[in-house]
Amino acid sequence: MKSGNQITAEALKAQGIEYVFGIVGHPVIELSLTMQAVGIQYLGFRNEQAACYAAQAYGYLTRKPAIVLCVSGPGMLHVIGGLANAQVNCWPVIVIGGSCSQDHEGIGGFQEWPQVEAAKPYCKYAARPPSAVLIPLHVEKAVRLSTYGRPGAAYLDFPATILNQSVDEEKILKVAVCPPPPLIFPDRQLVQQAASLLMRARKPLLIVGKGAAYSRAENEVRNLVYSTNIPFLPMPMGKGVVPDTDERCVSSARTYALQQSDVIVLLGARLNWMLHFGQPPRFQPDVKVIQIDLCPEELHNSVPSAVAIQSDISTAVDCLVGILKERKWAIEKSNPWWKDLVAKSSKNKALVHRMSLDVSVPLNYYAVFKEIQETIPPNSIICSEGANTMDIGKTILLNDEPRHRLDAATFGTMGVGLGFAIAAALYCKNYAPTKRVFCVEGDSAFGFSGMEIETMYRYKLPVIIIIVNNNGIGGGLDSETFRQIQSSGEPTQVTPSTILSCDTHYEKMIEMFGRKGYFCTTVQDIQHAIKACLKITDAPSLINIMINPQANRKEQKFSWLTESKL
């Protein structure tokens, strides 16, 4: 005889699940212990959302789903934010929720909630096995649906009665191990059309999305860039598919490149708000789009594509490179398009460089990020969130390897940083033990999941957390102005909604573990703090950098979100 707990743990192990992230309580405590007993590693978190963020990031980094384990009712509902983020972000994750005993349903059972129905809008698959003997079937399907096609989230609901049910071992359904997702090849005729359109372009541009990073297409995409000299623009988590330091990267002329291009090759990126919906004024009204995406439903979204190819990025780009090499097509460096891009990039880089040289106290963002970039080890994994912290940071903190940048992404979710960093640290522990993880946070973003520092400490994960502290959401106040405002009346009526407490010493949180935190106000402080933290290899570190509360990014030609005009 076997219990539902044993069947579930063994089914997960058989499908190759390595990690479970969660918070336990009734009715999943025994399930967590059984998972560990069969060889699955368990990490307990302080908040279910953070656990789900960590699990999905680990899925992105490995292409294998991790599990989120949560209790019934409120525990499962806390996970929904993470489920939605994984679904929008297209990252694989599986949530297992304990739930109310079936014989208590409908009569006010403990933490009773319609959990499968609650999860369905945020998942590719949500189900409750009707019997313990069918658990392996549903586990395999959750693994398959979370990774096949466009990756996403799956939810499995386990009432206490199912987990505690004992069944004859011979009756348990035998299920094969889910094979890796199939590789989708492109229609060669469409690739021929794409090549012809690209060769006719006067101002071609390659946009590299996180879909290219997830699909492990870096070798093929680099081959395309290196063999054709096509300028490329990486999306935030497409950074490193081709090195940011490559001379063909035109991130410093992003607005100009988007606005002037006549043919765009879109690799695993979506024409959503992050690319201004492909609409004027950020794009030419008659721009031609060559779209390559794994998901057919994504083709022609926002604007019709001139050539739309459903395929894995790697196979389609490999085919495109072969055709372009046969036709001997490449962009000469003397091309006027290249000259314009270089001139615009140089002008913008010079402006950013001048801003970064201003090291007067209180510091600005550019001086802070320049010092971080020059001090951290090459090819560190950078997790980042916060408004200006993330947006400005991605322009200065460079990535030369794929999947080395994790941020708020498509859903724009704040609170993901520490969970993502935990996943990245586990990934490094298993696959790149000398690599370091930096979690660069705005002070507001840090507040969402700051207690996960304790999780990092408990599991000996050497994440270096850097808080860029401007006393607010987007921007704050200096301490004197803050005191004046608060003394002028009832704080709830006079304190602006974007303001946080001034000069908060977040670094003292690390003292809970007998460790030293670092409070920085100068670039010399930053350099010293990072070098000291790099010596710590068995625990998290925390650096709190005070900057000018009114520090901002350089002037933008357009607002951060251009309306679609639809």
Side-chain angles (χ1 to χ4, degrees):
M1 303 290 285
K2 284 190 176 181
S3 69
N5 285 309
Q6 188 73 28
I7 297 168
T8 303
E10 291 179 356
L12 293 168
K13 180 69 174 176
Q15 294 298 333
I17 299 299
E18 297 175 326
Y19 282 101
V20 177
F21 306 83
I23 298 178
V24 298
H26 178 79
V28 296
I29 293 176
E30 186 177 348
L31 177 56
S32 67
L33 298 173
T34 309
M35 288 173 171
Q36 287 180 305
V38 301
I40 298 173
Q41 299 184 63
Y42 174 85
L43 284 85
F45 278 67
R46 304 303 297 264
N47 179 281
E48 288 93 349
Q49 277 194 28
C52 197
Y53 296 144
Q56 63 195 256
Y58 198 78
Y60 168 71
L61 292 169
T62 64
R63 298 192 75 185
K64 297 188 295 185
I67 302 297
V68 181
L69 183 64
C70 63
V71 301
S72 50
M76 182 269 165
L77 289 171
H78 288 167
V79 169
I80 283 182
L83 275 176
N85 191 69
Q87 190 69 356
V88 173
N89 228 23
C90 309
W91 288 358
V93 71
I94 299 170
V95 174
I96 290 178
S99 59
C100 173
S101 295
Q102 290 165 297
D103 55 336
H104 292 175
E105 290 181 340
I107 57 174
F110 175 68
Q111 296 185 330
E112 180 183 355
W113 191 257
Q115 295 177 193
V116 175
E117 291 81 357
K120 278 185 177 178
Y122 314 101
C123 294
K124 293 178 69 178
Y125 178 63
R128 171 191 286 184
S131 167
V133 300
L134 295 175
I135 288 173
L137 173 76
H138 289 274
V139 167
E140 186 277 337
K141 188 171 183 180
V143 171
R144 179 161 39 88
L145 268 63
S146 70
T147 54
Y148 276 40
R150 172 181 276 177
Y155 174 73
L156 294 177
D157 194 63
F158 288 93
T161 39
I162 294 291
L163 292 174
N164 295 325
Q165 182 182 6
S166 293
V167 297
D168 190 330
E169 190 168 353
E170 292 182 358
K171 294 181 179 180
I172 300 170
L173 194 67
K174 302 296 187 291
V175 177
V177 174
C178 178
L183 198 62
I184 299 177
F185 284 79
D187 181 331
R188 185 173 175 84
Q189 185 175 357
L190 290 176
V191 182
Q192 294 273 12
Q193 293 177 21
S196 297
L197 179 58
L198 193 57
M199 293 175 68
R200 295 195 300 270
R202 293 175 51 249
K203 299 178 178 181
L205 178 68
L206 181 69
I207 298 180
V208 183
K210 71 173 178 288
Y214 180 84
S215 65
R216 307 305 195 262
E218 53 266 22
N219 290 336
E220 291 80 7
V221 178
R222 290 180 182 191
N223 196 10
L224 173 62
V225 171
Y226 298 160
S227 64
T228 65
N229 287 322
I230 186 170
F232 73 93
L233 178 68
M235 298 301 289
M237 280 193 281
K239 288 163 65 68
V241 171
V242 185
D244 284 344
T245 51
D246 189 273
E247 61 182 353
R248 304 165 188 85
C249 180
V250 294
S251 291
S252 296
R254 183 182 192 273
T255 295
Y256 182 81
L258 293 178
Q259 201 173 31
Q260 297 298 319
S261 297
D262 58 352
V263 174
I264 288 173
V265 183
L266 203 62
L267 299 182
R270 292 174 274 184
L271 290 177
N272 54 22
W273 68 273
M274 296 182 75
L275 281 172
H276 321 289
F277 313 103
Q279 300 280 329
R282 299 302 289 266
F283 291 81
Q284 291 289 323
D286 57 350
V287 65
K288 303 293 191 297
V289 177
I290 298 168
Q291 187 179 13
I292 302 175
D293 203 284
L294 184 69
C295 178
E297 289 83 359
E298 189 59 42
L299 302 177
H300 304 292
N301 263 350
S302 296
V303 297
S305 295
V307 184
I309 303 170
Q310 185 207 0
S311 173
D312 273 276
I313 304 297
S314 58
T315 55
V317 172
D318 188 54
C319 183
L320 179 61
V321 168
I323 293 170
L324 292 174
K325 284 183 176 180
E326 287 175 6
R327 301 183 184 182
K328 297 181 172 54
W329 180 79
I331 303 174
E332 299 295 331
K333 285 302 178 70
S334 59
N335 188 297
W337 175 227
W338 257 122
K339 290 183 177 180
D340 291 344
L341 287 171
V342 170
K344 191 67 176 179
S345 292
S346 298
K347 181 180 179 181
N348 289 338
K349 285 178 180 178
L351 175 59
V352 168
H353 183 65
R354 286 197 301 272
M355 295 174 74
S356 69
L357 292 179
D358 178 7
V359 295
S360 58
V361 176
L363 295 169
N364 66 64
Y365 283 102
Y366 295 88
V368 167
F369 288 126
K370 176 178 180 291
E371 194 63 36
I372 294 173
Q373 171 65 23
E374 291 179 352
T375 309
I376 66 175
N379 295 324
S380 297
I381 295 181
I382 299 171
C383 306
S384 184
E385 60 176 335
N388 287 329
T389 297
M390 182 176 66
D391 290 341
I392 299 173
K394 69 188 177 188
T395 66
I396 301 177
L397 302 179
L398 305 181
N399 297 97
D400 283 349
E401 295 296 332
R403 298 171 296 281
H404 281 52
R405 170 71 58 139
L406 303 171
D407 68 19
T410 311
F411 210 23
T413 307
M414 292 296 109
V416 297
L418 273 71
F420 284 3
I422 289 171
L426 285 175
Y427 176 83
C428 291
K429 180 181 177 180
N430 294 332
Y431 299 100
T434 62
K435 194 178 291 292
R436 299 307 299 265
V437 176
F438 286 82
C439 185
V440 184
E441 301 273 296
D443 50 332
S444 172
F446 173 75
F448 283 83
S449 53
M451 275 307 296
E452 299 304 337
I453 289 179
E454 190 275 328
T455 306
M456 296 175 181
Y457 183 80
R458 196 176 345 131
Y459 295 108
K460 300 182 178 182
L461 300 174
V463 175
I464 299 175
I465 302 167
I466 300 177
I467 300 172
V468 183
N469 189 350
N470 69 351
N471 300 336
I473 303 171
L477 299 173
D478 62 81
S479 56
E480 182 178 349
T481 305
F482 178 72
R483 285 194 298 270
Q484 290 175 352
I485 286 178
Q486 287 222 309
S487 63
S488 67
E490 166 57 43
T492 58
Q493 292 184 305
V494 299
T495 307
S497 59
T498 59
I499 301 305
L500 301 176
S501 297
C502 289
D503 303 334
T504 302
H505 282 261
Y506 297 106
E507 79 283 353
K508 290 189 176 294
M509 290 180 67
I510 209 75
E511 293 180 10
M512 294 186 292
F513 316 111
R515 303 277 177 161
K516 175 179 170 56
Y518 294 88
F519 182 77
C520 302
T521 59
T522 69
V523 292
Q524 291 82 9
D525 290 342
I526 296 170
Q527 184 181 94
H528 169 74
I530 293 176
K531 289 181 177 178
C533 292
L534 285 169
K535 297 176 183 178
I536 301 170
T537 58
D538 63 347
S541 307
L542 202 158
I543 301 169
N544 181 20
I545 304 174
M546 289 302 309
I547 67 169
N548 187 337
Q550 299 304 312
N552 213 324
R553 61 189 307 175
K554 72 179 182 69
E555 184 178 352
Q556 303 295 295
K557 184 174 182 180
F558 294 101
S559 66
W560 69 276
L561 177 61
T562 306
E563 296 300 327
S564 67
K565 311 298 183 187
L566 296 179

